[in-house]
Amino acid sequence: MLPILLFSVALDTVQGGISCYDDSGQPVDWFITYKLPKPHRSPVAEGMRYMYQDGRTQGWVQGRSLMNSTEGAVGRTLQQLYTEAARRQDETAYVLYNDEPPSKLLFSSKGHTKGVILLDRTQGFWMLHSTPHFPPSVEEKMYSWPHSGLPNGQTFLCITLPYSQFKEIGNQLLYTEPEVYDSSVEGTFAQDFPALLNASEGQHIQEQPWNSSVTLTTLGGKEFVSFAKFRAFDDDLYSGWLAPALASDLYVEFWLRSRGILPSNCSGHFRVYNMEELAFPDPSITFHTMVDHSKWCVGTESDPGWACVGDMNRNEAEEQRGGGALCCRDAAIWKAFRNLVKKYTDCDDVRYH
Ligand SMILES: *[C@@H]1O[C@H](CO)[C@@H](O)[C@H](O)[C@H]1NC(C)=O
Ligand SMILES: *[C@@H]1O[C@H](CO)[C@@H](O)[C@H](O)[C@H]1NC(C)=O
Ligand SMILES: *[C@@H]1O[C@H](CO)[C@@H](O)[C@H](O)[C@H]1NC(C)=O
Ligand SMILES: *[C@@H]1O[C@H](CO)[C@@H](O)[C@H](O)[C@H]1NC(C)=O
Protein backbone atom coordinates (compact mmCIF):
# COMPACT_ATOMS: atom_id res chain seq x y z
CA MET A 1 0.00 0.00 0.00
CA LEU A 2 2.69 2.43 1.02
CA PRO A 3 4.71 2.33 -2.22
CA ILE A 4 1.55 3.01 -4.25
CA LEU A 5 0.70 5.97 -2.07
CA LEU A 6 4.21 7.37 -2.41
CA PHE A 7 4.06 6.87 -6.14
CA SER A 8 0.83 8.79 -6.52
CA VAL A 9 2.14 11.66 -4.39
CA ALA A 10 5.31 11.79 -6.47
CA LEU A 11 3.26 11.73 -9.67
CA ASP A 12 1.17 14.65 -8.44
CA THR A 13 4.24 16.80 -7.96
CA VAL A 14 5.79 15.77 -11.26
CA GLN A 15 2.66 16.38 -13.32
CA GLY A 16 2.35 19.63 -11.48
CA GLY A 17 -0.42 22.07 -11.98
CA ILE A 18 0.04 25.80 -11.81
CA SER A 19 2.69 26.41 -9.16
CA CYS A 20 5.38 28.72 -7.87
CA TYR A 21 8.73 27.75 -9.39
CA ASP A 22 12.08 27.88 -7.65
CA ASP A 23 15.25 29.46 -8.93
CA SER A 24 16.33 26.27 -10.73
CA GLY A 25 13.04 25.74 -12.58
CA GLN A 26 11.34 23.21 -10.28
CA PRO A 27 7.85 23.57 -8.72
CA VAL A 28 8.16 24.83 -5.16
CA ASP A 29 5.75 25.30 -2.25
CA TRP A 30 6.79 28.91 -1.57
CA PHE A 31 9.64 31.32 -2.21
CA ILE A 32 10.68 34.85 -1.32
CA THR A 33 12.75 36.99 -3.67
CA TYR A 34 14.44 40.27 -2.74
CA LYS A 35 15.31 42.35 -5.82
CA LEU A 36 18.32 44.49 -4.84
CA PRO A 37 18.61 48.24 -5.51
CA LYS A 38 20.81 49.19 -8.46
CA PRO A 39 24.06 50.77 -7.27
CA HIS A 40 24.61 54.29 -8.55
CA ARG A 41 26.02 54.46 -12.13
CA SER A 42 26.21 50.67 -12.46
CA PRO A 43 25.24 48.69 -15.61
CA VAL A 44 21.56 47.81 -16.21
CA ALA A 45 22.03 44.18 -15.16
CA GLU A 46 22.95 45.35 -11.63
CA GLY A 47 19.37 46.60 -11.27
CA MET A 48 18.01 43.09 -11.82
CA ARG A 49 19.99 41.07 -9.29
CA TYR A 50 18.20 39.44 -6.39
CA MET A 51 18.48 37.29 -3.29
CA TYR A 52 16.30 34.21 -2.96
CA GLN A 53 14.98 31.85 -0.29
CA ASP A 54 12.60 28.88 -0.08
CA GLY A 55 12.08 25.98 2.32
CA ARG A 56 15.28 24.29 1.20
CA THR A 57 17.77 27.17 1.23
CA GLN A 58 17.59 27.94 4.99
CA GLY A 59 17.89 31.67 4.43
CA TRP A 60 19.04 33.97 1.61
CA VAL A 61 21.10 32.68 -1.29
CA GLN A 62 22.17 34.66 -4.33
CA GLY A 63 19.65 34.62 -7.20
CA ARG A 64 20.80 32.48 -10.13
CA SER A 65 19.44 34.74 -12.81
CA LEU A 66 18.28 38.30 -13.51
CA MET A 67 14.76 39.66 -12.92
CA ASN A 68 14.11 39.96 -16.69
CA SER A 69 14.72 36.25 -17.25
CA THR A 70 12.13 33.45 -17.27
CA GLU A 71 14.75 31.17 -15.77
CA GLY A 72 14.65 32.91 -12.39
CA ALA A 73 11.94 32.12 -9.82
CA VAL A 74 9.74 35.18 -10.45
CA GLY A 75 10.03 35.05 -14.25
CA ARG A 76 9.59 31.28 -14.46
CA THR A 77 6.51 31.42 -12.21
CA LEU A 78 4.86 34.31 -14.09
CA GLN A 79 5.73 32.76 -17.45
CA GLN A 80 2.75 30.43 -16.80
CA LEU A 81 0.49 33.43 -17.47
CA TYR A 82 1.78 33.81 -21.02
CA THR A 83 1.89 30.08 -21.77
CA GLU A 84 -0.66 28.11 -19.69
CA ALA A 85 -3.23 30.86 -19.09
CA ALA A 86 -3.09 32.09 -22.67
CA ARG A 87 -3.37 28.56 -24.12
CA ARG A 88 -5.76 26.87 -21.68
CA GLN A 89 -8.24 29.72 -21.26
CA ASP A 90 -11.14 27.55 -20.10
CA GLU A 91 -9.01 25.68 -17.60
CA THR A 92 -7.35 28.57 -15.83
CA ALA A 93 -8.36 31.68 -13.91
CA TYR A 94 -6.16 34.68 -13.18
CA VAL A 95 -6.24 38.11 -11.56
CA LEU A 96 -3.46 40.67 -12.05
CA TYR A 97 -3.67 43.75 -9.85
CA ASN A 98 -1.46 46.75 -9.22
CA ASP A 99 -2.21 50.28 -8.01
CA GLU A 100 0.35 51.36 -10.65
CA PRO A 101 -0.59 49.08 -13.56
CA PRO A 102 1.66 48.49 -16.59
CA SER A 103 1.35 50.86 -19.56
CA LYS A 104 -1.07 53.21 -17.81
CA LEU A 105 -0.30 56.58 -16.34
CA LEU A 106 -2.54 55.77 -13.44
CA PHE A 107 -2.09 56.02 -9.72
CA SER A 108 -5.12 54.20 -8.47
CA SER A 109 -6.72 55.45 -5.28
CA LYS A 110 -8.06 51.97 -4.59
CA GLY A 111 -6.03 49.45 -2.58
CA HIS A 112 -2.29 50.02 -2.24
CA THR A 113 -1.69 46.45 -3.31
CA LYS A 114 0.13 44.50 -6.03
CA GLY A 115 -0.09 40.85 -6.91
CA VAL A 116 -0.83 37.97 -9.24
CA ILE A 117 -3.24 35.06 -8.81
CA LEU A 118 -3.20 32.17 -11.29
CA LEU A 119 -4.83 28.77 -10.87
CA ASP A 120 -6.09 25.76 -12.78
CA ARG A 121 -8.70 23.20 -11.70
CA THR A 122 -6.51 21.68 -9.01
CA GLN A 123 -4.11 24.33 -7.69
CA GLY A 124 -2.40 27.64 -8.27
CA PHE A 125 -0.25 30.40 -6.83
CA TRP A 126 -0.63 33.77 -5.17
CA MET A 127 2.29 36.15 -5.59
CA LEU A 128 2.45 39.36 -3.56
CA HIS A 129 4.96 41.95 -4.76
CA SER A 130 5.87 45.63 -4.61
CA THR A 131 6.86 46.46 -8.22
CA PRO A 132 5.01 49.24 -10.11
CA HIS A 133 3.99 48.55 -13.76
CA PHE A 134 4.54 44.80 -13.39
CA PRO A 135 3.89 42.15 -14.63
CA PRO A 136 2.65 42.61 -18.25
CA SER A 137 -0.98 41.74 -19.12
CA VAL A 138 -1.61 38.29 -20.57
CA GLU A 139 -2.29 39.81 -24.02
CA GLU A 140 1.30 41.09 -24.08
CA LYS A 141 2.16 37.40 -24.51
CA MET A 142 5.58 37.79 -22.95
CA TYR A 143 7.16 38.22 -19.56
CA SER A 144 9.33 41.31 -19.13
CA TRP A 145 10.84 43.51 -16.41
CA PRO A 146 9.97 47.24 -16.49
CA HIS A 147 12.72 49.84 -16.78
CA SER A 148 11.16 51.67 -13.81
CA GLY A 149 11.85 48.54 -11.77
CA LEU A 150 15.63 48.86 -12.01
CA PRO A 151 16.65 51.47 -9.37
CA ASN A 152 14.92 50.30 -6.18
CA GLY A 153 14.68 47.21 -4.02
CA GLN A 154 11.48 45.11 -4.37
CA THR A 155 10.09 42.06 -2.56
CA PHE A 156 8.12 39.05 -3.85
CA LEU A 157 6.41 36.26 -1.93
CA CYS A 158 4.89 33.36 -3.85
CA ILE A 159 2.83 30.57 -2.28
CA THR A 160 1.45 27.47 -4.02
CA LEU A 161 -2.06 26.60 -2.87
CA PRO A 162 -4.70 23.92 -3.39
CA TYR A 163 -7.82 24.94 -5.33
CA SER A 164 -10.11 25.47 -2.31
CA GLN A 165 -7.86 28.17 -0.79
CA PHE A 166 -8.66 30.61 -3.60
CA LYS A 167 -12.08 31.07 -2.06
CA GLU A 168 -10.39 32.61 1.00
CA ILE A 169 -8.11 34.72 -1.17
CA GLY A 170 -11.10 36.08 -3.09
CA ASN A 171 -12.65 37.13 0.18
CA GLN A 172 -9.46 38.90 1.27
CA LEU A 173 -9.43 40.83 -2.03
CA LEU A 174 -12.87 42.26 -1.20
CA TYR A 175 -11.09 44.01 1.69
CA THR A 176 -7.90 45.13 -0.05
CA GLU A 177 -9.85 46.48 -3.05
CA PRO A 178 -7.19 45.92 -5.74
CA GLU A 179 -6.87 47.85 -9.00
CA VAL A 180 -7.33 44.87 -11.34
CA TYR A 181 -5.80 45.49 -14.80
CA ASP A 182 -6.24 42.00 -16.24
CA SER A 183 -8.36 39.06 -15.16
CA SER A 184 -10.30 36.00 -16.23
CA VAL A 185 -12.59 34.33 -13.68
CA GLU A 186 -15.16 32.42 -15.72
CA GLY A 187 -17.38 29.33 -15.76
CA THR A 188 -16.90 27.05 -12.76
CA PHE A 189 -14.17 29.35 -11.39
CA ALA A 190 -16.80 32.11 -11.12
CA GLN A 191 -19.25 29.69 -9.49
CA ASP A 192 -16.69 28.37 -7.00
CA PHE A 193 -15.12 31.76 -6.22
CA PRO A 194 -17.80 34.47 -6.37
CA ALA A 195 -15.76 36.78 -4.14
CA LEU A 196 -12.73 36.50 -6.44
CA LEU A 197 -14.94 37.34 -9.41
CA ASN A 198 -16.56 40.25 -7.56
CA ALA A 199 -13.20 41.65 -6.42
CA SER A 200 -11.83 41.36 -9.95
CA GLU A 201 -14.80 43.48 -11.09
CA GLY A 202 -14.04 46.18 -8.55
CA GLN A 203 -16.54 45.28 -5.82
CA HIS A 204 -15.60 45.55 -2.16
CA ILE A 205 -17.07 44.85 1.25
CA GLN A 206 -19.86 47.16 2.36
CA GLU A 207 -20.03 46.73 6.11
CA GLN A 208 -17.90 46.22 9.21
CA PRO A 209 -15.60 44.67 10.22
CA TRP A 210 -13.18 46.57 7.96
CA ASN A 211 -10.41 44.00 8.30
CA SER A 212 -10.11 40.26 7.89
CA SER A 213 -7.41 37.68 8.62
CA VAL A 214 -7.34 34.07 7.50
CA THR A 215 -4.82 31.24 7.65
CA LEU A 216 -3.91 29.86 4.24
CA THR A 217 -2.34 26.41 4.02
CA THR A 218 -0.03 25.78 1.07
CA LEU A 219 -0.02 22.61 -1.01
CA GLY A 220 2.96 21.46 1.06
CA GLY A 221 1.10 22.13 4.33
CA LYS A 222 2.80 25.37 5.40
CA GLU A 223 0.67 28.03 7.08
CA PHE A 224 0.68 31.69 6.07
CA VAL A 225 -1.67 34.19 7.68
CA SER A 226 -3.24 36.69 5.31
CA PHE A 227 -4.12 40.10 6.79
CA ALA A 228 -6.35 42.37 4.73
CA LYS A 229 -7.73 45.80 5.54
CA PHE A 230 -10.33 47.90 3.74
CA ARG A 231 -9.81 51.67 3.39
CA ALA A 232 -12.39 52.38 6.12
CA PHE A 233 -10.09 50.60 8.61
CA ASP A 234 -8.52 54.07 8.86
CA ASP A 235 -5.32 53.07 10.69
CA ASP A 236 -1.76 51.99 10.00
CA LEU A 237 -1.53 48.27 9.15
CA TYR A 238 1.53 47.73 11.38
CA SER A 239 0.90 49.74 14.55
CA GLY A 240 -2.88 49.51 14.27
CA TRP A 241 -3.12 45.78 13.66
CA LEU A 242 -0.08 43.58 12.92
CA ALA A 243 2.00 44.33 16.02
CA PRO A 244 -0.82 43.54 18.48
CA ALA A 245 -2.16 40.65 16.35
CA LEU A 246 1.28 38.99 16.15
CA ALA A 247 2.00 40.03 19.76
CA SER A 248 5.43 41.28 18.73
CA ASP A 249 7.50 44.43 18.38
CA LEU A 250 8.20 44.91 14.68
CA TYR A 251 10.87 46.36 12.43
CA VAL A 252 9.13 47.61 9.30
CA GLU A 253 10.81 48.12 5.92
CA PHE A 254 8.85 50.36 3.55
CA TRP A 255 9.22 53.16 1.00
CA LEU A 256 10.40 56.17 3.01
CA ARG A 257 10.13 58.50 0.02
CA SER A 258 6.38 58.95 0.30
CA ARG A 259 4.55 61.85 1.90
CA GLY A 260 3.23 61.90 5.47
CA ILE A 261 5.51 59.14 6.86
CA LEU A 262 4.33 57.86 10.24
CA PRO A 263 7.11 57.95 12.83
CA SER A 264 8.21 54.86 14.75
CA ASN A 265 5.51 54.16 17.30
CA CYS A 266 6.09 53.17 20.90
CA SER A 267 2.75 54.20 22.35
CA GLY A 268 1.14 50.76 22.15
CA HIS A 269 2.06 47.64 24.11
CA PHE A 270 4.00 46.41 21.06
CA ARG A 271 6.39 48.79 19.35
CA VAL A 272 6.81 49.48 15.66
CA TYR A 273 10.17 50.72 14.35
CA ASN A 274 10.84 52.20 10.92
CA MET A 275 13.96 50.74 9.32
CA GLU A 276 16.69 52.96 7.90
CA GLU A 277 19.42 50.67 6.67
CA LEU A 278 19.74 47.02 5.67
CA ALA A 279 22.65 44.67 5.19
CA PHE A 280 22.81 41.26 3.53
CA PRO A 281 25.70 39.34 5.04
CA ASP A 282 26.81 37.18 2.11
CA PRO A 283 27.58 38.60 -0.35
CA SER A 284 27.94 41.73 1.73
CA ILE A 285 25.43 44.27 0.41
CA THR A 286 24.29 47.32 2.37
CA PHE A 287 21.62 49.80 1.35
CA HIS A 288 19.42 52.55 2.69
CA THR A 289 15.64 52.30 2.93
CA MET A 290 15.48 55.38 0.66
CA VAL A 291 16.31 53.11 -2.32
CA ASP A 292 14.11 50.22 -1.21
CA HIS A 293 10.52 50.00 -2.40
CA SER A 294 10.03 46.65 -0.58
CA LYS A 295 7.36 46.24 2.07
CA TRP A 296 8.00 43.74 4.84
CA CYS A 297 8.25 43.50 8.59
CA VAL A 298 9.89 41.17 11.09
CA GLY A 299 9.49 40.50 14.81
CA THR A 300 12.31 42.02 16.86
CA GLU A 301 13.09 39.14 19.26
CA SER A 302 11.89 35.62 20.14
CA ASP A 303 12.92 32.77 17.89
CA PRO A 304 11.04 31.84 15.78
CA GLY A 305 9.30 35.14 15.38
CA TRP A 306 7.00 36.40 12.69
CA ALA A 307 7.96 37.75 9.30
CA CYS A 308 5.55 39.34 6.83
CA VAL A 309 5.78 40.45 3.21
CA GLY A 310 3.09 42.76 1.95
CA ASP A 311 1.55 45.79 0.38
CA MET A 312 1.69 48.76 2.66
CA ASN A 313 3.90 51.69 3.56
CA ARG A 314 3.59 53.50 6.88
CA ASN A 315 2.12 56.85 5.82
CA GLU A 316 -1.00 58.88 6.50
CA ALA A 317 -2.58 58.35 3.08
CA GLU A 318 -2.31 54.55 3.29
CA GLU A 319 -4.23 54.48 6.56
CA GLN A 320 -7.18 55.11 4.25
CA ARG A 321 -6.23 52.62 1.55
CA GLY A 322 -6.84 48.90 1.25
CA GLY A 323 -3.92 46.49 1.54
CA GLY A 324 -2.41 43.76 3.64
CA ALA A 325 0.36 41.26 4.17
CA LEU A 326 1.14 37.56 4.31
CA CYS A 327 2.84 36.47 7.52
CA CYS A 328 4.62 33.32 8.57
CA ARG A 329 6.13 32.06 11.79
CA ASP A 330 9.18 30.12 10.68
CA ALA A 331 12.68 30.05 12.21
CA ALA A 332 14.59 30.31 8.92
CA ILE A 333 12.41 33.03 7.38
CA TRP A 334 12.44 35.03 10.60
CA LYS A 335 16.23 34.81 10.92
CA ALA A 336 16.74 35.71 7.26
CA PHE A 337 14.78 38.95 7.67
CA ARG A 338 15.90 39.71 11.20
CA ASN A 339 19.55 39.55 10.08
CA LEU A 340 18.95 42.30 7.51
CA VAL A 341 18.17 44.92 10.16
CA LYS A 342 21.16 47.22 10.43
CA LYS A 343 19.75 50.57 11.50
CA TYR A 344 16.28 51.60 12.59
CA THR A 345 14.63 54.68 14.07
CA ASP A 346 13.85 54.33 17.75
CA CYS A 347 11.07 56.43 19.17
CA ASP A 348 13.59 59.02 20.40
CA ASP A 349 16.54 58.55 18.07
CA VAL A 350 18.34 56.28 15.65
CA ARG A 351 19.61 52.93 16.89
CA TYR A 352 22.24 50.73 15.31
CA HIS A 353 21.90 47.05 15.57
C1 LIG B 1 18.16 40.88 -19.43
O1 LIG B 1 18.96 42.02 -19.27
C2 LIG B 1 20.32 41.85 -19.60
C3 LIG B 1 21.06 43.13 -19.22
O2 LIG B 1 20.50 44.23 -19.85
C4 LIG B 1 20.43 41.52 -21.07
O3 LIG B 1 21.78 41.29 -21.41
C5 LIG B 1 19.61 40.25 -21.36
O4 LIG B 1 19.61 39.99 -22.74
C6 LIG B 1 18.18 40.44 -20.89
N1 LIG B 1 17.49 39.16 -20.99
C7 LIG B 1 16.26 39.06 -21.48
C8 LIG B 1 15.69 37.70 -21.50
O5 LIG B 1 15.63 40.04 -21.84
C1 LIG C 1 -20.94 38.99 -5.60
O1 LIG C 1 -21.67 40.00 -6.23
C2 LIG C 1 -23.05 39.67 -6.43
C3 LIG C 1 -23.66 40.79 -7.25
O2 LIG C 1 -23.39 42.05 -6.68
C4 LIG C 1 -23.70 39.50 -5.06
O3 LIG C 1 -25.06 39.15 -5.22
C5 LIG C 1 -22.98 38.39 -4.30
O4 LIG C 1 -23.51 38.28 -2.98
C6 LIG C 1 -21.48 38.70 -4.21
N1 LIG C 1 -20.82 37.55 -3.59
C7 LIG C 1 -19.74 37.65 -2.85
C8 LIG C 1 -19.23 36.40 -2.21
O5 LIG C 1 -19.16 38.70 -2.67
C1 LIG D 1 -9.27 44.05 13.06
O1 LIG D 1 -8.24 44.83 13.66
C2 LIG D 1 -8.37 45.02 15.07
C3 LIG D 1 -7.23 45.90 15.50
O2 LIG D 1 -7.38 47.18 14.95
C4 LIG D 1 -8.32 43.67 15.75
O3 LIG D 1 -8.49 43.86 17.15
C5 LIG D 1 -9.42 42.77 15.21
O4 LIG D 1 -9.30 41.50 15.77
C6 LIG D 1 -9.30 42.67 13.70
N1 LIG D 1 -10.47 41.97 13.19
C7 LIG D 1 -10.39 40.85 12.52
C8 LIG D 1 -11.69 40.30 12.04
O5 LIG D 1 -9.33 40.28 12.30
C1 LIG E 1 0.66 54.75 17.40
O1 LIG E 1 -0.16 53.79 16.74
C2 LIG E 1 -1.52 53.81 17.10
C3 LIG E 1 -2.18 52.70 16.29
O2 LIG E 1 -1.90 52.84 14.91
C4 LIG E 1 -2.12 55.16 16.78
O3 LIG E 1 -3.46 55.19 17.18
C5 LIG E 1 -1.34 56.22 17.51
O4 LIG E 1 -1.83 57.50 17.15
C6 LIG E 1 0.13 56.14 17.17
N1 LIG E 1 0.90 57.07 17.99
C7 LIG E 1 1.77 57.94 17.48
C8 LIG E 1 2.48 58.80 18.46
O5 LIG E 1 1.98 58.04 16.28
Side-chain angles (χ1 to χ4, degrees):
M1 192 62 208
L2 193 61
I4 294 168
L5 193 68
L6 283 176
F7 179 70
S8 71
V9 169
L11 198 65
D12 261 7
T13 0
V14 172
Q15 277 184 341
I18 301 288
S19 173
C20 303
Y21 278 79
D22 70 13
D23 222 18
S24 53
Q26 297 304 311
V28 70
D29 198 44
W30 62 269
F31 73 75
I32 300 169
T33 292
Y34 209 129
K35 206 286 284 181
L36 300 165
K38 180 177 174 294
H40 209 49
R41 283 199 287 266
S42 62
V44 170
E46 297 302 310
M48 292 186 283
R49 298 207 184 282
Y50 60 92
M51 300 298 288
Y52 172 88
Q53 66 170 308
D54 64 25
R56 272 166 291 195
T57 62
Q58 293 297 303
W60 301 111
V61 295
Q62 226 172 332
R64 291 192 182 194
S65 182
L66 294 177
M67 289 309 302
N68 65 345
S69 163
T70 50
E71 283 167 19
V74 171
R76 173 70 185 84
T77 300
L78 293 177
Q79 176 71 352
Q80 296 170 100
L81 281 171
Y82 315 102
T83 55
E84 300 302 298
R87 200 175 58 228
R88 297 161 54 204
Q89 260 174 24
D90 302 340
E91 293 156 58
T92 55
Y94 60 85
V95 181
L96 278 60
Y97 59 93
N98 196 322
D99 53 293
E100 294 174 74
S103 58
K104 273 191 207 139
L105 287 173
L106 170 77
F107 284 87
S108 172
S109 58
K110 294 166 86 178
H112 191 278
T113 180
K114 301 172 175 64
V116 177
I117 291 164
L118 172 63
L119 65 149
D120 60 21
R121 300 216 179 275
T122 59
Q123 64 185 70
F125 70 79
W126 188 16
M127 185 189 287
L128 264 63
H129 72 89
S130 61
T131 315
H133 317 300
F134 177 83
S137 308
V138 171
E139 65 177 18
E140 297 293 321
K141 296 195 175 73
M142 227 175 85
Y143 174 80
S144 64
W145 182 256
H147 196 76
S148 61
L150 296 174
N152 304 309
Q154 307 285 357
T155 33
F156 304 78
L157 165 61
C158 187
I159 57 178
T160 304
L161 299 152
Y163 187 76
S164 62
Q165 294 287 274
F166 289 88
K167 187 168 179 156
E168 311 289 354
I169 294 174
N171 195 49
Q172 294 299 82
L173 262 53
L174 289 174
Y175 287 80
T176 57
E177 202 190 0
E179 175 72 39
V180 174
Y181 62 92
D182 193 7
S183 69
S184 165
V185 182
E186 289 169 8
T188 50
F189 292 107
Q191 282 162 26
D192 292 344
F193 310 126
L196 188 63
L197 173 65
N198 286 1
S200 75
E201 289 175 344
Q203 294 189 44
H204 55 73
I205 51 148
Q206 301 285 353
E207 45 188 60
Q208 288 186 356
W210 302 126
N211 53 330
S212 160
S213 67
V214 65
T215 299
L216 301 173
T217 306
T218 65
L219 203 61
K222 192 164 187 61
E223 291 187 346
F224 287 82
V225 185
S226 159
F227 292 88
K229 74 174 185 99
F230 184 57
R231 53 181 138 92
F233 183 71
D234 197 15
D235 200 349
D236 173 46
L237 174 70
Y238 305 93
S239 59
W241 190 12
L242 288 188
L246 304 175
S248 175
D249 295 347
L250 298 174
Y251 296 121
V252 187
E253 176 71 356
F254 65 96
W255 185 235
L256 274 184
R257 277 152 72 181
S258 56
R259 245 176 292 167
I261 296 289
L262 302 174
S264 293
N265 189 320
C266 297
S267 55
H269 185 65
F270 295 101
R271 298 169 168 220
V272 170
Y273 301 110
N274 295 353
M275 299 250 309
E276 290 198 28
E277 220 172 283
L278 283 80
F280 279 91
D282 182 30
S284 166
I285 298 162
T286 303
F287 54 90
H288 199 276
T289 295
M290 292 297 247
V291 293
D292 192 12
H293 195 255
S294 301
K295 291 127 198 12
W296 55 267
C297 66
V298 65
T300 58
E301 308 302 333
S302 88
D303 183 7
W306 286 94
C308 311
V309 175
D311 292 327
M312 310 289 301
N313 300 307
R314 298 195 67 238
N315 63 39
E316 285 162 10
E318 287 174 45
E319 296 190 323
Q320 281 130 46
R321 302 274 297 272
L326 271 175
C327 302
C328 190
R329 195 182 178 99
D330 173 286
I333 300 176
W334 175 75
K335 249 183 219 124
F337 278 103
R338 181 68 188 77
N339 283 343
L340 301 182
V341 180
K342 185 165 177 218
K343 192 170 156 191
Y344 63 93
T345 318
D346 205 340
C347 291
D348 319 308
D349 56 21
V350 172
R351 288 289 157 86
Y352 290 83
H353 187 73

